[in-house]
Amino acid sequence: MTTEKTPAPLRRRGERMRQAVLAATVGLLTSEGLTGTTVAAVARAAGVHETSVYRRWKTRENLLLDALGSHADEALPAPDTGDVRQDLTQLMSAVSDYLASPQGAALLHLGASPDASVEAERLPYWDARLERGEDIVRRGVERGELAPDTDARLVAETLAGPLFARVLLTGAPLDRGLARRIVDLTLDGARPRDGGGADE
């Protein structure tokens, strides 16, 4: 009877090691959920030493944030259809789907972490995500679809707020039409008005 041996870790370094670890982290979140995504499991899946993971990321939370930041760049689109309502609806639909995924569950867990180092990493992460919405709003202002004095950051925060309220506060479902309803409700208050300096 032969016993199966665990393969020896590969000698990966630098960016090659980082990409292997981040891919393994996202893969484990998808297949095993947050509980199964331990540093040890990630190291095994990536074929690296566990100490190498800790040396680079210090904590599991920092590793998760780095992995989720890279993954979100691919999972969340930056649409530019020429229509602000359509662009924002596509973006918020993707955010809604993401929050309902294992990766989204991990993000929500990190959001409740009291770790100061996680807080320092989390704020830039969400700032970068909100900037995508801001860019869409600014293009809408430039095309005259929204009022010239529209606060792009406030619109982006207003769009994201109801999704997080449902997930974190009420537990209400993120149904398929929710993103469009949120976008419609928000943009109706930002449309140009007579005398507002923008074309109808």
Side-chain angles (χ1 to χ4, degrees):
M1 179 178 177
T2 59
T3 50
E4 209 174 293
K5 293 184 179 179
T6 303
L10 302 175
R11 292 185 178 277
R12 287 177 168 154
R13 290 187 175 88
E15 187 59 20
R16 185 168 172 238
M17 186 273 276
R18 178 177 177 269
Q19 291 302 326
V21 171
L22 296 184
T25 302
V26 172
L28 282 168
L29 281 171
T30 302
S31 62
E32 306 297 330
L34 186 60
T35 303
T37 309
T38 63
V39 172
V42 168
R44 282 195 301 272
V48 301
H49 288 283
E50 187 175 344
T51 52
S52 298
V53 178
Y54 277 114
R55 190 179 301 117
R56 177 152 191 154
W57 285 277
K58 311 302 181 188
T59 66
R60 183 179 82 136
E61 285 73 19
N62 287 337
L63 169 61
L64 289 170
L65 270 176
D66 195 4
L68 291 169
S70 299
H71 181 258
D73 287 339
E74 301 173 6
L76 300 179
D80 187 4
T81 66
D83 181 272
V84 66
R85 195 175 296 265
Q86 185 174 337
D87 287 348
L88 288 173
T89 299
Q90 288 183 17
L91 177 62
M92 298 314 297
S93 294
V95 171
S96 178
D97 291 342
Y98 195 75
L99 290 177
S101 72
Q103 291 81 15
L107 270 180
L108 295 174
H109 163 78
L110 292 171
S113 173
D115 191 320
S117 67
V118 174
E119 179 72 14
E121 295 290 333
R122 183 172 62 237
L123 294 179
Y125 173 91
W126 284 116
D127 188 63
R129 307 286 86 75
L130 286 169
E131 282 179 3
R132 292 193 172 199
E134 288 183 76
D135 289 342
I136 292 173
V137 173
R138 291 191 192 100
R139 290 198 297 268
V141 171
E142 291 169 1
R143 291 191 298 261
E145 296 174 276
L146 304 176
D149 60 350
T150 297
D151 185 330
R153 172 52 67 105
L154 182 59
V155 171
E157 291 173 342
T158 301
L159 291 167
L163 294 179
F164 285 92
R166 287 201 171 203
V167 173
L168 295 172
L169 301 180
T170 69
L174 301 176
D175 58 88
R176 295 301 302 173
L178 178 62
R180 176 167 290 281
R181 296 198 304 275
I182 292 172
V183 170
D184 287 345
L185 183 63
T186 303
L187 291 192
D188 282 346
R191 287 186 303 181
R193 289 166 172 75
D194 290 338
D199 295 333
E200 290 291 340

